[in-house]
Structures are given as C-alpha cells and as structure tokens.
C-alpha cells in the first residue's frame, strides 16, 4: 500500500483565532505581538502585504502601524491553545492516525483511503473545521511528510487550489519542485542552505537529484532521508504519541525591571508551579531543579549580571511545594543587589516517568501517595475553576513583574467571565404583537 500523508496547517493561526471572536478584524491588517508586546509573531495576509516582517520589533514599525491602521494584539496563548485542541479534535474524526506536529499543524495518515477522492475528502475536512471553529486551514497531500509539507505551501500560494493540493502521482511534480527554493524544504536549515547554494543546489528539484553519496557525506543520514522523501520514499513515520520531555524550562521576561529579592522569589515560585503542573500532566517526575536570573544584555549602559544555581533532589518528585522550596534556595544563592533583572526562571532536568522512580536508600522517603493526592486535588480545582484558583502564597498577589500584555483579548473559550456577550433587539413581529396588546 502506498503511503499517503496529509499535512493540515491553520492559516495565520493566531490572527485567525482573534478573528473568530472579533469579526471587525476581518479584512484589516492585524499583527500579534510576542511576550511584553515586543515583536511581531503572527501577521494577517493584509499585514504581510504591507511589508511587515516576521519578528519585527513593534516600536520600530509603530509609524507604519499608525499609517495603515494596523490592529496590534498581545499574544493570548490560553485562547490559541484551546482553539488548537478543538481543531485537532475535529481532525481526529477523519483519520485513525494523527500526529500533532505543532499548535497549528498536524499530519494525517490517509494511506487506507484508496476508495476516496482525496482532494474532495480534504475539502470536506477543510469545510468542517471552518464551520465548527471558524479557523481556515490549508491541506497538502503527498506520499511523504516532506512532499506533503511542500504541497501545503503550494495549496496556500495558489488560490486556484482552493486551499487543497495533492502532489501524489502528479504528472508535473518536478515542475513544482523546481519552483521551490531549497531553504523552503522541510529539514533544510540556514547552514545547510548556504552549503547547498555553494554547490549549485538552489531548488527542491536540485536537492532531489543530488548524488546520495555527496548528501550523506555533507548532510548526514538525516539529510539523505530528506532527499529520499523528495523522491517519494517515505522515511519519516508518523509519531502517535510525542515523547515526554527530558528537560523543561519555564521562564518569561518581566513587564518591568525587577530589583528586589522578594519579587524574584514570586516569579521563581510562579514558574516552579507551572513546571510542576507540566510534569504531572505528562506523568513524570524530576531529579534536578535550578533557578536562573539575568539582566538586560542590550542595555549596555547598565551593570550586567546573570547566574544560575541548581541542586539534585533527595528523590524524584513532581510535588510543587518541594520544588518551590529548592528553587527558592537556589535563587537565594545567586541573588545580588544593585542589578535590574529582566528575566527569571527554573529548569527541570533528569525527568523520568513517575512509574520508574528509583528511591534513595539513605534518605527517608516522603509519603508519595499523600503528595499525589494533594496535587491531584489542586490540579482538579484549577482545571475546573480556572488557573490560579488555588495558588501558592509565595507567588505573590499583585505580581507587578508579570509580562506586559496591554492589548490582550479575552479568553473567550476558557473563562466564564470573559465569554463573548451577544446583544440583540427583539424580532420585529414580537414588537408588533406587543404593540397590538397595549
């Protein structure tokens, strides 16, 4: 059976999520900004047409934003994550094998759909996702993941495709590959692009036809797999389940510079709490935790300092109070007065599954079941009633250091007090009936 892979990509995902609940943004240039409203991380097609580059510092383009009335929004990760889960849930209805590649991308295994017109089936998927969520998507279909990625790019660029393109067994496949720059091939990074261009390999077709021996020597077996994928030989399988993280970093830039140890403790507590929640989510525990702080290296006129400290835990755990205690101890070891800190965070390492814990013979074991029960209760309440319904006192109440998000939209789908409110007047016939009875 020939392998057939579909790649679903949500178009301008962050912007599309905002437009679902704010229709006045449709047809207007919109950009979504990064943490602390710093740089552009998502653009509508109208914003791209104005020449606003990805990653552009917002303050440098403020004049352009004002001139063209560009709508700027803070990143609403809670909303985007929930909308992503809704899209992926719909996609799972159309195939038994699905790989969640990123927040806005997924691979579908369509190999068994031999009796289907795959282009029409893909259009049905596209229409269903849009009808049920309001998110527009593009779908590329090919015999390999790499070709499905390229087909998706073509589906987006060519309006005649209607957002769907099937490159499988296409008679003009080499013509399409010759129109794709080699840097746009999945798995070819910046350094490999320079190497390939120096050797007269500038398009996907050139890469497909490159000698295997040369590719393996200069790009390793990983690069050779990419070449084979361009030839229609499937080498990269779908991953049913993502591997649990072996390391976790939780950090955010502050909304304003922080100088006091107390505020740094609040931030480190907050990040340690979030890191512990993620551990329990993937049913893991950690052996090691560290805390780090750093100043703004771009402000060269100010004194600079950055440092980190870590410690091994007596036994692996996902118990939040224990992780907070050790993270704060690490922070106290590295804190220095007289500096304006712009970032703090925690790092968890040596993460293992919770059912593979090796206990310490020389340290009395904690009552693990009691810890688990307590954490389950806290997590259950925070899931039901919203994040931070129960939180640790050392994370602070005001949290003035939290990152700046001055243009944050409501979390429409996850918070009762931020749900969309619809106001409407009574229908005309009701008004007439009421008038006749008066």
């Amino acid at each position: 059976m020939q392998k057939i892979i579909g790649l679903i990509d949500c178009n301008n995902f962050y912007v599309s999520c905002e437009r679902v609940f704010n229709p006045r943004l449709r047809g207007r240039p919109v950009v979504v900004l990064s943490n602390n409203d710093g740089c552009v991380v998502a653009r509508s097609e109208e914003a791209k047409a104005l020449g606003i580059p990805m990653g552009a510092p917002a303050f440098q383009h403020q004049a352009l934003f004002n001139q063209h009335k560009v709508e700027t929004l803070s990143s609403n990760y809670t909303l985007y994550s929930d909308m992503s889960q809704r899209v992926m849930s719909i996609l799972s209805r159309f195939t038994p094998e699905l790989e969640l590649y990123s927040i806005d991308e997924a691979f579908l295994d369509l190999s068994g759909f031999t009796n289907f017109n795959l282009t029409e089936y893909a259009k049905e998927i596209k229409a269903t996702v849009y009808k049920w969520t309001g998110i527009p998507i593009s779908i590329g279909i090919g015999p390999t993941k790499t070709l499905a990625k390229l087909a998706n790019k073509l589906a987006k660029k060519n309006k005649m495709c209607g957002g769907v393109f099937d490159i499988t067994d296409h008679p003009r496949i080499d013509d399409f590959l010759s129109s794709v720059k080699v840097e746009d091939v999945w798995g070819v990074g910046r350094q490999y692009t320079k190497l390939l261009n120096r050797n007269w390999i500038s398009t996907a077709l050139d890469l497909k036809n490159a000698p295997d021996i040369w590719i393996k020597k200069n790009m390793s077996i990983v690069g050779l797999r990419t070449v084979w994928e361009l030839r229609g030989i499937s080498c990269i399988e779908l991953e049913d389940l993502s591997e649990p993280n072996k390391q976790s970093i939780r950090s955010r830039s502050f909304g304003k510079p922080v100088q006091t140890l107390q505020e740094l403790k609040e931030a480190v507590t907050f990040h340690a709490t979030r890191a512990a929640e993620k551990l329990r989510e993937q049913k893991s525990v950690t052996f090691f935790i560290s805390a780090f702080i750093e100043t703004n290296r771009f402000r060269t006129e100010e004194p600079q300092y950055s440092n980190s400290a870590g410690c091994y835990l007596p036994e692996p755990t996902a118990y939040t109070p224990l992780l907070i205690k050790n993270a704060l101890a690490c922070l106290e070891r590295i804190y220095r007065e007289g500096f304006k800190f712009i970032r703090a965070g925690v790092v968890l390492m040596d993460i293992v599954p919770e059912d593979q814990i090796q206990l310490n013979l020389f340290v009395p074991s904690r009552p693990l079941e009691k810890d688990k029960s307590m954490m389950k209760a806290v997590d259950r309440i925070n899931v039901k009633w919203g994040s931070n319904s129960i939180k640790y006192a050392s994370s602070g109440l005001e949290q003035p250091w939290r990152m700046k998000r001055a243009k944050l939209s409501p979390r429409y789908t996850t918070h009762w007090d931020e749900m969309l409110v619809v106001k409407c007047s009574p229908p005309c016939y009701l008004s007439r009936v009421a008038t006749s009875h008066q």
Side-chain angles (χ1 to χ4, degrees), residues 370-433:
K370 183 178 180 181
D371 290 352
K372 279 186 179 182
S373 298
M374 179 180 171
M375 291 295 95
K376 278 184 179 179
V378 171
D379 292 342
R380 196 180 304 118
I381 292 170
N382 283 335
V383 167
K384 182 175 181 178
W385 298 106
S387 180
N388 286 331
S389 294
I390 292 182
K391 64 180 182 179
Y392 296 84
S394 56
S395 66
L397 298 176
E398 299 295 330
Q399 297 183 336
W401 44 268
R402 291 288 294 270
M403 67 178 178
K404 180 175 65 177
R405 292 195 287 181
K407 302 175 181 180
L408 183 65
S409 58
R411 295 162 293 183
Y412 300 102
T413 61
T414 55
H415 287 66
W416 286 108
D417 56 346
E418 297 181 26
M419 288 181 65
L420 190 66
V421 177
V422 178
K423 297 180 181 180
C424 61
S425 57
C428 295
Y429 74 90
L430 289 179
S431 300
R432 290 197 296 272
V433 170

Side-chain angles (χ1 to χ4, degrees), residues 206-241:
D206 295 336
L207 184 59
K208 172 186 174 181
N209 295 329
D212 286 4
I213 295 176
W214 187 90
I215 291 293
K216 185 176 181 180
K217 178 181 178 182
N218 292 277
M219 297 179 66
S220 77
I221 191 65
V222 176
L224 186 58
R225 286 188 190 130
T226 297
V227 172
W228 286 347
E229 289 247 322
L230 288 174
R231 296 171 185 167
I233 304 170
S234 181
C235 303
I236 309 173
E237 296 296 324
L238 260 67
E239 299 175 9
D240 295 330
L241 296 172

